[in-house]
Amino acid sequence: MRELTLSKAVNEAIAEEMRRDPTIILMGEDVAEAGTPFKVLSGLVEEFGTERIVDTPISEPGFTGIAVGAAMTGMRPIVDIMFGDFLFLIMDQLCNQAAKTHYMSGGKLSVPLTVRTNMGATRRSAAQHSQSLHALAAHIPGLKVAMPSSAYEAKGLLKTAIRDNNPCIIFEDKLMYQDKAPVPEEEYLIPFGKAEVLREGRDITFVATSSMRQVAEKAAVLLEKDGVSAEIIDPRTIVPLDEETILASVRKTSRAIVIDEGHQSFGVTAEIAARISEKAFYHLDAPVGRMGAMDVPVPFSPALEDLTVPTPERLVERTMATLRGEPFHGA
């Protein structure tokens, strides 16, 4: 099977869907000739023209509002938000309009809108361009939230989102755009709400979102040297969340740690850990652990920034403390 970068997989997914459906348009800042600052969309404007690949003014509320209206009236827009941090600018359009229109219209209107944006720290982009804000979107009923962890997931989930009649948000980790993974040449879709068991294990379950999949996989290799077998679950989407797969794994291993790059407090780690504790309590041999980003603005300083997110080494420390039944005092 061929290997593609995550960037190329996203580009290919959009191109395939735009060829299939003429109602799909893409709009955002620097999406046409520039192909976005990350060059993810390079080449699309040459094929589809500026009427379907639309460079917008620097006004996220404006062009997102246009996209919501277009979605309500027969189009299937893809909105590119250059950095996930800019989601704060479109909260009304996304959370008050797109997320609620189907309900408030009694099912008469749908908003088939796809928002593409990114997340992730350690790129030295400072506090306003390094946040992971997926928990904000997941908190709003009516929005679906996907977090691809590889090129394969990025293409399959994006195609599913574009075809969905509900507003969907795809969070791509900006550090993973050049990471390669096997991607089939034939068409495929990845259903929302279906997690993947990346690695079978017997001693502990890691539930790892997005780039934290790599952290979990590296930690699992290190733990294996000490005879510890870790099972790794990639939720793929956090709304909807595949509870069944996660709970089945935890009932088998009796221990769990949830790893996510969003801020730890009031975030994805807390929600998934709570569901495990509520629904698999009598199968647990230890409290559910969680590791997220520090509750601080992301520093620009490399030495400080690297300390704010989970690492394989800290996950190994946390795992060993859990297996010993000891409290964990690390970050």
Side-chain angles (χ1 to χ4, degrees), residues 17 20 76 114 158-165 187 189:
E17 291 303 298
R20 183 188 61 83
R76 304 187 80 86
T114 300
L158 180 55
K159 288 170 73 73
T160 298
I162 292 170
R163 299 185 190 192
D164 200 302
N165 286 328
E187 181 172 270
L189 302 175

Side-chain angles (χ1 to χ4, degrees), residues 24-172:
I24 297 171
I25 58 173
L26 189 150
M27 56 202 309
E29 298 157 2
D30 291 335
V31 297
E33 283 76 11
T36 79
F38 302 97
K39 306 303 178 186
V40 176
L41 306 180
S42 294
L44 292 179
V45 69
E46 283 79 8
E47 178 174 355
F48 300 104
T50 55
E51 290 189 356
R52 295 185 68 190
I53 307 294
V54 184
D55 267 338
T56 65
I58 303 176
S59 177
E60 285 83 1
F63 65 76
T64 303
I66 290 171
V68 172
M72 291 168 59
T73 52
M75 304 298 286
R76 304 187 80 86
I78 304 169
V79 168
D80 184 289
I81 301 296
M82 187 182 294
F83 284 88
D85 312 71
F86 305 161
L87 285 177
F88 289 117
L89 298 169
I90 65 167
M91 279 295 162
D92 184 65
Q93 290 81 357
L94 189 63
C95 301
N96 272 337
Q97 308 305 326
K100 297 177 174 63
T101 293
H102 185 72
Y103 171 76
M104 295 183 70
S105 68
K108 294 180 180 179
L109 295 174
S110 295
V111 185
L113 169 71
T114 300
V115 176
R116 272 194 62 250
T117 192
N118 52 51
M119 56 176 281
T122 69
R123 189 178 173 268
R124 321 312 181 203
S125 297
Q128 295 176 335
H129 295 76
S130 302
Q131 298 170 90
S132 298
L133 301 177
H134 43 288
L136 273 69
H139 186 68
I140 304 301
L143 300 179
K144 296 184 177 182
V145 183
M147 301 178 67
S149 64
S150 75
Y152 176 81
E153 274 76 21
K155 182 176 181 181
L157 290 170
L158 180 55
K159 288 170 73 73
T160 298
I162 292 170
R163 299 185 190 192
D164 200 302
N165 286 328
N166 301 284
C168 303
I169 309 179
I170 306 285
F171 286 90
E172 301 155 3

